[in-house]
Amino acid sequence: LLAALTEADSLATGETAWSRWKAELLTALVERTRAVLAGEAPSSATDAVEPVDPAIVARAAEGAVVAADEDRVVVVTRDEPGLLARVVGLLTLHGQSIRGASAHSTADGMAVDMFELDAVLADPPDWAAFEAELRARPSADDLARRLESRARTYRARPTAARTAPARVLVHDDASARATVVEVRAPDAVGLLHRITHEFERAGLDIAHAKVATLGHEVVDTFYVRGVDGGKLDQAAVDALVEALSGVLAAGGPEGSDRP
């Protein structure tokens, strides 16, 4: 009943308040709640990974593969540090607004990143050009400069009278194999790229990520591992929180890479 009420309320609010992505999130929540009420152990967040066509994964061994379908795109390629930040940055530069995302790495070292999108530009994206640029592996500095220029060009009007406070939360007990870092902040152009770039700068591995835009606020959750493949020690956690807090405090040109 609560799930039906949530969907009805979202649909009544407006077109952007309900989507296939949010429907999937709600379905996962309902399934986990039912398991708890039945006395069973709910699946972990990292277990709830949408399967990808094995043919796409096989093709990705030769290089990045981009598979687009209406408002969703899947990127599969060999995993490497900074990959998520690069993909996110290029999506924004190609006129795509990231409404939700899920990213994970496979046991054989492949990265599978899935994004739910809203087009910022009227024309559909040139996915072949996007794939070619992704394979060319542009530098982080180059992406940052281009994103800054785009942020000055495309500005969005505020969607709330009072912006949500920026927060960085660490949930050390949420996973046995990774440190879970949650970032909540007002949306802004290039924000997701700046956040993921900080993980790259710290030399950390994002084993799994869940990204969502809730109105004017972003709620991004990252399962992070250190250079040794394990959870972060307290010194690394403190340094990461300080770095992310600095990114959020600095803000950026008014706008949004997610509506």
Side-chain angles (χ1 to χ4, degrees), residues 13-61:
T13 300
E15 293 182 359
T16 61
W18 186 252
S19 65
R20 177 172 57 177
W21 176 259
K22 290 182 180 178
E24 291 172 357
L25 293 177
L26 183 62
T27 298
L29 176 61
V30 169
E31 291 175 351
R32 288 169 58 84
T33 303
R34 282 177 174 161
V36 171
L37 294 176
E40 303 169 359
S43 60
S44 68
T46 52
D47 292 335
V49 174
E50 181 179 336
V52 175
D53 186 345
I56 296 178
V57 178
R59 285 168 48 209

Side-chain angles (χ1 to χ4, degrees), residues 217-243:
E217 182 184 20
V218 300
V219 181
D220 301 342
T221 306
F222 305 91
Y223 288 67
V224 185
R225 296 172 182 166
V227 293
D228 60 352
K231 300 177 69 170
L232 308 186
D233 60 27
Q234 191 58 49
V237 168
D238 292 343
L240 180 61
V241 170
E242 181 178 1

Side-chain angles (χ1 to χ4, degrees), residues 23-242:
E24 291 172 357
L25 293 177
L26 183 62
T27 298
L29 176 61
V30 169
E31 291 175 351
R32 288 169 58 84
T33 303
R34 282 177 174 161
V36 171
L37 294 176
E40 303 169 359
S43 60
S44 68
T46 52
D47 292 335
V49 174
E50 181 179 336
V52 175
D53 186 345
I56 296 178
V57 178
R59 285 168 48 209
E62 306 281 328
V65 173
V66 177
D69 174 23
E70 296 182 354
D71 60 351
R72 176 171 296 189
V73 64
V74 178
V75 178
V76 184
T77 187
R78 180 66 56 184
D79 199 8
E80 62 177 284
L83 175 65
L84 182 58
R86 187 182 310 138
V87 174
V88 165
L90 286 174
L91 283 173
T92 303
L93 291 173
H94 281 258
Q96 297 305 295
S97 175
I98 301 172
R99 188 166 55 193
S102 174
H104 72 278
S105 301
T106 65
D108 57 353
M110 301 299 292
V112 180
D113 300 344
M114 291 171 279
F115 301 90
E116 186 189 3
L117 306 171
D118 272 335
V120 176
L121 304 178
D123 296 330
D126 184 343
W127 289 117
F130 171 83
E131 182 175 313
E133 191 167 8
L134 180 60
R135 290 185 178 220
R137 302 173 72 250
S139 70
D141 289 341
D142 175 57
L143 283 177
R145 284 192 297 269
R146 293 164 63 190
L147 284 167
E148 183 178 354
S149 175
R150 183 178 183 82
R152 289 194 296 267
T153 303
Y154 295 95
R155 299 175 183 271
R157 289 174 296 179
T159 57
R162 186 178 66 178
T163 58
R167 292 178 291 167
V168 180
L169 308 173
V170 178
H171 308 286
D172 194 52
D173 298 331
S175 171
R177 299 186 298 270
T179 299
V180 179
V181 180
E182 179 182 334
V183 179
R184 292 174 173 260
D187 201 3
V189 169
L191 175 62
L192 182 56
H193 175 265
R194 294 196 296 274
I195 291 172
T196 51
H197 183 48
E198 284 304 318
F199 291 107
E200 177 186 4
R201 286 163 55 93
L204 303 177
D205 174 43
I206 301 175
H208 183 77
K210 279 287 188 181
V211 171
T213 303
L214 306 177
H216 58 280
E217 182 184 20
V218 300
V219 181
D220 301 342
T221 306
F222 305 91
Y223 288 67
V224 185
R225 296 172 182 166
V227 293
D228 60 352
K231 300 177 69 170
L232 308 186
D233 60 27
Q234 191 58 49
V237 168
D238 292 343
L240 180 61
V241 170
E242 181 178 1

